[in-house]
Amino acid sequence: MITRTKFDPKEIESKWQTKWEADHIYNASDESSKPNFYNLVMFPYPSGDLHMGHWYNYSPFDTYGRFKRMQGYNVMQPIGFDAFGLPAENAAIKRGIQARTWTLANIENMRKQLRAMGAQWDWQREVITCLPDYYQWTQWLFLQFYKKGLAYRTKAPANWCPGCNTTLANEQVLADGTCERCGSLVERREIDQWLLKISSYAERLLDFSEVTDWPEKTITMQRNWIGRSEGAEVRFTSTIGDKQEEIPVFTTRPDTIYGVTFFVLAPEHPWVNKITTPEQRAEVNAYVEQARRMTEIERMSSDKEKSGVFTGAYVTNPVSGEKTPVWIADYVLMSYGSGAIMGVPAHDQRDFAFARKFGIPIREVIRAEEDEVSDPATWSEAKEALGVMVNSGPFDGTPGEEAKARIIQFIEEKGIGHSTINYRLRDWLISRQRYWGAPIPIVYCAEHGTVPVPEDQLPVKLPENVQFKATGESPLRYEPEFLNTTCPICGGPATREADTMDTFIDSSWYYLRYADAHNSEEAWSQEKMEKWLPVDQYVGGVEHAILHLLYARFFVKALHDMGHLNFDEPFKRLFHQGMVLGSDGQKMSKSRGNVEAPDKYVDKYGADTVRCYMMFIGPFEAGGLFRADNLEGVWRFLNRVWSLVGETWVNKPDTRETSESKAIERLRHKTIKRVTEDLSHFRFNTALAALMEFNNVLIKQQRDAVAQSQAYRDALQTLLQLLAPFAPHIAEELWHQTGHANSIHTTEWPAYVEEMTRDDIFTLVVQINGKVRERIEVAADISEEEVRTLALNNERVQSFIGQASVQKVIYIPGRLVNIVIRNN
RNA sequence: GGGGCGAUGGCGGAAUGGUAGACGCAGGAGACUUAAAAUCUCCCGGCUGAAAGGCUGUGAGGGUUCGACUCCCUCUCGCCCCA
């Protein structure tokens, strides 16, 4: 016995945290002979507090990283802060405190909380995106994109609040379309903005062949978001003034072109003004105005009643030669395709609803073979399936895919269109008319127009003391010292771009910077990049499945093409944790009043208990309910480990083998196997259950003679090592109390021998017609013949068989035997 | 409306097509204690039985199989994503 002290997490946790940090045991070496492993978790926004979700996310993540370290990897596990963004500005306005001050104070507090988790963070690689030594390189990256023509400026629609006289981010627009600050109805306005040409990478982003382990769900979501569709662009014609003009439409169904009975422009389409007849103008203008006030989501909603207005104009169908009326309707979006569609009500559901509403004729031009001839006026919905062309002049009788191909061939020959691929993915709008972000490194010169800031003049520094407007408008627009500059080309007076970059830009490359966080000469060196990247394991919420992860992939592919990276997928393996919910099964939120702060429980039970509890809730990917009661379970478990090791450790173990010691040794190997396999597959809950079982068995035998054995002492030692990734402090403390001088976290993960995980006896289950009737202890190497004899001669089994005849005996080695009988 | 995921004791959950409910919480009984807390021991799906045991049971209904929580079909409910 070595100790009878009480388990006091407070004391040991701060002791070991200090010691680990002083010894730098978690700072990944750039020069290690071990294989590198880059273990990454999505970095937090510095809201000021580490909440339950962070603990739920980081505890298993850290346990996994510790497991990999003990398995012999040189693990890099960095942490940092996604520190730009709107909340800092809101705090600045509300509390009269500078955004930078607020953010850095929050970071300071969160660092403390992150340290208290006892995770193996490599603090030497910390990145903070709002500091100039980081955003200098964000700006540098922007310039690289600009040089390659991947960053451009154009008029793009933005959320505009007429009350505040400013643009709003999507998050600032409430669900009812009003401004969160002043309540005005938000409009969409065309404003000059910067975009990144992600659309030119659409095809490449659809290729996931370089990732090794991503959730299929996430890949599907990205594919749908990119929204590739094959089809044709067809140019309709119209006479405007005295000129014949062409207007392109995109369709995935060129085979339905004879079914066009109307034509629709998006309300903001440039043609609307040109072609509307004087009689229709007032009505059209009113409709355009109304559509402008709606969000795209509202407009696209399929259960919304269709609306639209006739323009008075007509276009000519270039294939059939027919004239069709031109409408405008808000279900057509300017941002998809060409902002114009051919209306085929018979074979497109939305067109069908529109035609029904406005009494537009519906003409069937595709018929499924089994279909009877019927009047489209009697249909209740459009027939969207492929079929044979009818009512289509010379094309009648052409089936399915061939029909599409023949129309495409026809329009290409006539020069009135061509086959094409359309993507739903739009270019990435990165301008934010905000203060707290990385300034876009561009100046405007009367002489030279748009001029990029030369790389050696970076960073373009964000002024740190600014006056906020009550409206929330960006103070950068009123900072002459920031705005007024000189043209890098001619030295003449010039104005800086006052917009800052979307914070998704910051997070699109932070994982690259971790590899070389303090490089003041370049964003990263080739050497460090090649050493650490791509990321081996990435863990983060499914809410980032589309935007963040798609943007990061785009960055890496573009930077790869520019020669800055030697790989083109950033994250080899990806894991999405589930969400931790309140005890009522609802998402934690202030309004529901079910928010639980982790600090309270860390204070009461210690970090080890909270970490373990987070992992014990259930499968990591599934999330689960936080129930304070259940913390008691893991708390008791850790206490039992504490007293077991303290009371049972012997310095001079008995090395003789007994059947009991062999059984302990077998259990030790079995447990290593279970925990190793569970951790490899992110099954933290069952790994902990295995440790609890192991602990329970050892406790049961703690007063027996076997507790004096070498095997038992080995078992205690293994228990501590297996527990170390989960509960790093208590494991370290007990490791030292049992006479070890090194850190348990630098020890090698225990190995198991497959042979030792197998028992020499097992419980043979005897079923009769699939029902368990008897259990017999038998030797592991029992033959099938012996099993048959044993089972059939068993007294209980006999009594169940009675007069019935045995039809069949099925033996599953090592498990069970099923006797199939039939009553005579 | 489309797609995906899920539904197992009072609760969280566990089960390569092979002993359903591991592990833990809550609950019950007992030990220790002047008492309580802590700790320890036992019990703990339902029905039935003194017990041994029997029957039944993984959202509902069907199917495949010697055997189904697990595979297939239909339905109900819940969550997520897209519309």
Side-chain angles (χ1 to χ4, degrees):
Chain A
M1 194 208 294
I2 52 177
T3 176
R4 272 226 178 230
T5 56
K6 213 170 144 285
F7 170 42
D8 178 1
K10 269 228 174 88
E11 188 197 320
I12 65 166
E13 288 183 359
S14 62
K15 177 174 89 182
W16 289 113
Q17 283 160 20
T18 308
K19 171 87 168 128
W20 294 331
E21 200 148 348
D23 293 349
H24 299 287
I25 69 167
Y26 303 135
N27 297 126
S29 164
D30 288 330
E31 316 296 335
S32 169
S33 54
K34 297 173 180 176
N36 289 339
F37 189 89
Y38 189 169
N39 194 40
L40 181 68
V41 71
M42 291 179 185
F43 65 167
Y45 176 80
S47 57
D49 261 310
L50 224 50
H51 52 72
M52 208 53 94
H54 291 118
W55 273 84
Y56 185 79
N57 186 189
Y58 298 164
S59 303
F61 163 77
D62 178 63
T63 296
Y64 184 75
R66 288 177 173 280
F67 166 63
K68 295 305 277 189
R69 162 188 301 284
M70 289 176 78
Q71 279 195 318
Y73 290 93
N74 180 39
V75 174
M76 167 165 65
Q77 185 175 304
I79 190 75
F81 296 93
D82 188 11
F84 271 137
L86 212 49
E89 284 187 55
N90 290 337
I93 296 165
K94 224 159 92 185
R95 311 182 200 185
I97 178 176
Q98 286 299 324
R100 182 176 190 275
T101 313
W102 182 83
T103 304
L104 294 183
N106 284 351
I107 287 175
E108 201 41 52
N109 191 49
M110 288 176 78
R111 278 190 187 129
K112 261 187 230 142
Q113 295 171 310
L114 284 162
R115 282 195 165 89
M117 294 185 73
Q120 54 171 355
W121 306 120
D122 184 348
W123 287 104
Q124 291 184 356
R125 296 171 185 272
E126 182 191 49
V127 301
I128 297 175
T129 60
C130 70
L131 297 182
D133 65 358
Y134 184 86
Y135 72 68
Q136 164 177 4
W137 303 110
T138 307
Q139 293 171 335
W140 178 82
L141 286 164
F142 174 87
L143 293 176
Q144 307 315 305
F145 279 76
Y146 182 77
K147 268 198 276 185
K148 289 284 164 189
L150 288 171
Y152 64 97
R153 193 171 184 241
T154 189
K155 276 204 189 304
N159 300 312
W160 178 263
C161 172
C164 300
N165 239 350
T166 182
T167 53
L168 302 178
N170 284 336
E171 312 83 75
Q172 294 174 285
V173 184
L174 302 179
D176 62 355
T178 60
C179 169
E180 66 161 10
R181 188 175 289 114
C182 72
S184 310
L185 201 55
V186 175
E187 298 176 6
R188 294 179 68 75
R189 274 204 190 172
E190 298 281 323
I191 290 173
D192 272 319
Q193 308 205 61
W194 285 93
L195 290 94
L196 294 191
K197 229 180 204 167
I198 191 172
S199 64
S200 65
Y201 277 78
E203 201 60 43
R204 295 265 300 279
L205 288 166
L206 284 167
D207 176 8
F208 288 86
S209 58
E210 293 296 311
V211 303
T212 48
D213 190 9
W214 268 45
E216 207 46 53
K217 182 175 66 170
T218 305
I219 292 177
T220 305
M221 280 166 70
Q222 291 207 356
R223 288 223 167 100
N224 292 339
W225 185 260
I226 295 166
R228 182 185 199 272
S229 44
E230 291 182 10
E233 185 182 293
V234 187
R235 290 190 292 278
F236 281 58
T237 56
S238 184
T239 309
I240 298 179
D242 45 10
K243 269 195 299 197
Q244 180 88 341
E245 291 203 32
E246 292 186 324
I247 181 165
V249 296
F250 174 78
T251 177
T252 56
R253 294 295 303 274
D255 55 322
T256 65
I257 197 155
Y258 278 85
V260 176
T261 54
F262 62 100
F263 192 92
V264 190
L265 296 173
E268 49 286 74
H269 196 286
W271 265 40
V272 172
N273 228 350
K274 293 204 281 187
I275 61 167
T276 302
T277 58
E279 309 81 69
Q280 295 298 108
R281 189 159 294 275
E283 203 184 337
V284 166
N285 286 351
Y287 187 80
V288 170
E289 185 58 31
Q290 178 204 324
R292 221 178 54 180
R293 295 178 184 277
M294 292 172 72
T295 66
E296 287 202 356
I297 296 154
E298 284 174 325
R299 285 172 51 170
M300 293 290 288
S301 172
S302 54
D303 42 329
K304 173 181 158 287
E305 181 83 345
K306 289 281 176 290
S307 66
V309 178
F310 178 46
T311 62
Y314 292 83
V315 289
T316 305
N317 181 332
V319 178
S320 68
E322 197 176 5
K323 280 201 170 212
T324 54
V326 179
W327 290 65
I328 62 170
D330 61 11
Y331 78 96
V332 176
L333 300 177
M334 197 58 221
S335 57
Y336 184 79
S338 62
I341 61 148
M342 55 184 223
V344 185
H347 306 292
D348 178 281
Q349 188 53 41
R350 287 179 313 173
D351 295 347
F352 183 85
F354 190 81
R356 270 287 156 80
K357 167 101 190 237
F358 294 105
I360 297 168
I362 298 170
R363 186 191 308 145
E364 180 188 33
V365 292
I366 299 291
R367 188 175 296 147
E369 272 173 47
E370 66 275 14
D371 263 17
E372 302 274 312
V373 179
S374 62
D375 181 357
T378 65
W379 295 359
S380 59
E381 58 179 24
K383 300 193 175 181
E384 298 190 331
L386 288 181
V388 174
M389 291 176 82
V390 294
N391 299 323
S392 298
F395 297 94
D396 279 357
T398 318
E401 288 297 333
E402 192 190 329
K404 288 188 188 175
R406 276 195 61 190
I407 294 290
I408 289 172
Q409 190 192 356
F410 178 81
I411 60 173
E412 283 180 348
E413 279 166 6
K414 293 274 173 189
I416 50 177
H418 54 89
S419 90
T420 186
I421 294 163
N422 193 54
Y423 299 93
R424 209 186 74 101
L425 181 68
R426 311 319 318 162
D427 277 344
W428 175 12
L429 199 161
I430 61 156
S431 299
R432 294 292 179 268
Q433 291 72 33
R434 311 293 342 155
Y435 159 66
W436 195 235
I440 294 173
I442 292 286
V443 301
Y444 301 105
C445 165
E447 184 88 9
H448 296 94
T450 303
V451 182
V453 174
E455 289 178 17
D456 59 11
Q457 290 176 27
L458 297 180
V460 174
K461 275 209 177 174
L462 201 56
E464 282 171 10
N465 289 302
V466 293
Q467 272 315 108
F468 279 91
K469 303 270 155 191
T471 58
E473 204 177 355
S474 169
L476 283 185
R477 297 170 181 275
Y478 301 93
E479 282 289 316
E481 283 187 32
F482 173 81
L483 288 176
N484 300 331
T485 184
T486 53
C487 170
I489 299 172
C490 64
T495 312
R496 280 195 196 284
E497 170 63 66
D499 284 356
T500 54
M501 288 184 244
D502 180 3
T503 56
F504 274 117
I505 300 261
D506 308 326
S507 55
S508 291
W509 76 283
Y510 75 105
Y511 50 91
L512 303 173
R513 185 66 176 172
Y514 279 141
D516 199 4
H518 302 294
N519 194 332
S520 56
E521 301 301 314
E522 45 190 348
W524 57 82
S525 71
Q526 287 296 303
E527 187 205 345
K528 303 263 174 84
M529 179 269 291
E530 284 174 22
K531 205 155 258 169
W532 287 110
L533 286 147
V535 172
D536 293 292
Q537 178 67 59
Y538 198 24
V539 174
V542 69
E543 66 273 21
H544 294 111
I546 297 175
L547 297 183
H548 164 58
L549 290 167
L550 193 67
Y551 293 151
R553 293 181 64 225
F554 162 56
F555 256 58
V556 163
K557 285 175 195 300
L559 290 167
H560 171 259
D561 291 354
M562 293 175 208
H564 297 298
L565 298 174
N566 68 344
F567 55 94
D568 85 341
E569 280 290 346
F571 316 117
K572 284 196 273 191
R573 283 190 291 273
L574 173 68
F575 190 94
H576 295 306
Q577 79 276 8
M579 205 194 307
V580 62
L581 306 170
S583 56
D584 55 358
Q586 299 290 307
K587 202 168 163 171
M588 285 192 191
S589 74
K590 278 184 194 145
S591 59
R592 286 200 183 84
N594 60 351
V595 177
E596 292 268 18
D599 295 24
K600 178 172 132 197
Y601 299 102
V602 175
D603 199 52
K604 184 171 174 196
Y605 296 105
D608 283 342
T609 297
V610 177
R611 288 170 61 105
C612 289
Y613 172 63
M614 291 295 163
M615 293 181 254
F616 197 61
I617 288 178
F620 192 25
E621 69 276 15
L625 279 55
F626 177 89
R627 294 178 58 105
D629 281 359
N630 292 0
L631 274 155
E632 283 291 336
V634 281
W635 166 247
R636 283 175 203 156
F637 162 61
L638 293 179
N639 273 283
R640 283 198 297 264
V641 172
W642 177 273
S643 49
L644 170 70
V645 174
E647 292 165 15
T648 325
W649 185 268
V650 289
N651 287 322
K652 291 214 173 69
D654 182 349
T655 52
R656 283 172 302 180
E657 277 198 350
T658 61
S659 60
E660 287 81 11
S661 78
K662 277 191 226 162
I664 290 281
E665 181 63 4
R666 245 193 219 102
L667 178 64
R668 189 177 76 88
H669 282 264
K670 274 193 221 172
T671 305
I672 297 170
K673 182 179 182 184
R674 281 176 72 183
V675 175
T676 305
E677 288 180 353
D678 282 350
L679 281 182
S680 304
H681 294 99
F682 278 66
R683 295 188 299 243
F684 302 95
N685 55 332
T686 49
L688 270 170
L691 288 175
M692 289 175 178
E693 285 181 54
F694 190 31
N695 191 46
N696 289 345
V697 171
L698 293 174
I699 287 173
K700 272 232 160 68
Q701 302 188 14
Q702 126 180 73
R703 312 268 170 247
D704 299 349
V706 71
Q708 302 295 313
S709 70
Q710 178 73 43
Y712 193 93
R713 205 179 82 159
D714 289 348
L716 292 179
Q717 178 159 323
T718 296
L719 173 66
L720 291 181
Q721 286 182 290
L722 298 180
L723 181 64
F726 299 87
H729 310 89
I730 189 176
E732 183 80 302
E733 176 65 24
L734 290 173
W735 186 252
H736 282 80
Q737 287 190 18
T738 52
H740 299 88
N742 58 342
S743 167
I744 193 170
H745 304 297
T746 60
T747 65
E748 215 172 288
W749 187 251
Y752 65 90
V753 178
E754 188 62 44
E755 176 60 25
M756 290 294 291
T757 64
R758 286 193 280 265
D759 282 316
D760 44 18
I761 55 162
F762 72 95
T763 305
L764 175 71
V765 169
V766 184
Q767 295 184 338
I768 293 168
N769 286 349
K771 287 190 179 177
V772 180
R773 294 304 185 190
E774 181 66 307
R775 295 179 172 86
I776 311 170
E777 295 285 307
V778 298
D781 56 359
I782 192 168
S783 72
E784 179 161 1
E785 202 39 50
E786 288 172 294
V787 166
R788 278 182 81 103
T789 317
L790 202 61
L792 290 170
N793 292 335
N794 181 278
E795 207 177 314
R796 266 182 62 76
V797 173
Q798 284 282 336
S799 73
F800 271 102
I801 294 174
Q803 295 306 304
S805 65
V806 174
Q807 301 286 309
K808 213 197 263 191
V809 177
I810 294 149
Y811 176 52
I812 307 298
R815 291 206 177 261
L816 59 73
V817 61
N818 188 14
I819 300 164
V820 184
I821 59 170
R822 196 165 64 198
N823 287 320
N824 293 322

